[in-house]
Each structure stands twice: as structure tokens, then as C-alpha cells.
Amino acid sequence: MFLLPEESKIQLINKRKERDIVIASEFLLAYKIANIYKNTIIIGIPNIISKAEIKKIDIFRHAENVFVIQDRHTMLHNSKNLISTLINKFGEENIKLGVSYKNCEIPENLKSYLNQKELKEKIIA
């Protein structure tokens, strides 16, 4: 599932190149981030990902910053497969990891980055 903000609505997408993407292991967390940060591409992805599923994000292969946000359960039990697959696809230097410890909480490092990004976009506009 790809959640892409388009003005005041969120739509599913097929193709788009972006510099930054957020991959969330929980679909509710992906939706929450997409609701708050309207100009960010969010990908909700399963904890254990197949090769067929990972191919779906090939359209984002040029992403410079890939924020991987996982819930506590995924981080403790299932993160190795997801993280290693994403490192192989995007490169270790491009992966930024965050953990949502409770109730789909958005990690502070992601909040800070996205808030600064939105501020820069407002200044440029």
C-alpha cells in the first residue's frame, strides 16, 4: 500500500520519484503519519516481506532518505528480514531507523526531520 498526499486527500499511487520516503511496519502508523505530514510519501509494509512485495517499492529506488519506522513488537521479533531487505535495496547509509514504542507513536527523529522539511517548503513557497 502506498499512501501519497495529494492536496487535501490521500491517494494510492503507482509511480513517483522522491528523495525521501517513510516505511512503517504498522498500517495504522503509516496512516497517522500520512494524515499529519501531507507532503510525505508513506509506505505501509508487512513485518515479514516477500521478494514479490519488495519489488513493489522499486519505483522509489532513487530515494535518498528511507525512514523505517517499526513498532516495538516488530523491532524485537521480526525486524531482521525487513531491515536487511531494505538495506540491500537502498543502501545502509540511506536507512534511518525509528521505533514506535506505544499507540502508533511517531518517533521523535522522524517528527523533527519532517517538521524541518515542511518548514523549508513553506519558506521556499
Side-chain angles (χ1 to χ4, degrees):
M1 173 175 70
F2 300 125
L3 298 175
L4 173 67
E6 182 90 16
E7 295 180 21
S8 63
K9 60 186 173 189
I10 296 173
Q11 66 181 34
L12 298 177
I13 66 164
N14 292 324
K15 293 183 178 182
R16 183 165 171 161
K17 291 183 181 177
E18 289 293 326
R19 294 169 50 110
D20 299 329
I21 59 174
V22 176
I23 296 174
S25 68
E26 290 293 317
F27 292 115
L28 288 176
L29 179 58
Y31 182 76
K32 180 179 180 180
I33 296 168
N35 247 349
I36 295 170
Y37 299 101
K38 304 290 185 195
N39 294 317
T40 303
I41 292 179
I42 313 297
I43 301 172
I45 207 163
N47 300 334
I48 302 297
I49 188 164
S50 70
K51 289 181 181 181
E53 289 169 329
I54 200 71
K55 286 193 102 27
K56 293 176 185 176
I57 63 173
D58 279 348
I59 61 174
F60 299 108
R61 67 180 159 268
H62 301 295
E64 291 181 11
N65 294 303
V66 180
F67 291 89
V68 181
I69 310 303
Q70 298 182 328
D71 62 290
R72 193 167 96 183
H73 175 78
T74 301
M75 188 61 130
L76 293 174
H77 301 288
N78 301 323
S79 67
K80 185 176 182 178
N81 182 38
L82 178 60
I83 295 297
S84 63
T85 301
L86 293 172
I87 286 173
N88 288 337
K89 183 164 285 302
F90 295 107
E92 188 172 357
E93 66 281 357
N94 295 330
I95 303 290
K96 280 93 175 134
L97 186 61
V99 180
S100 176
Y101 288 105
K102 59 182 178 181
N103 298 328
C104 294
E105 178 181 66
I106 302 172
E108 285 301 317
N109 65 332
L110 179 61
K111 271 192 215 177
S112 176
Y113 179 82
L114 294 177
N115 287 336
Q116 287 176 359
K117 183 179 172 182
E118 284 189 350
L119 182 61
K120 286 179 188 176
E121 289 173 0
K122 285 180 185 177
I123 291 171
I124 290 171

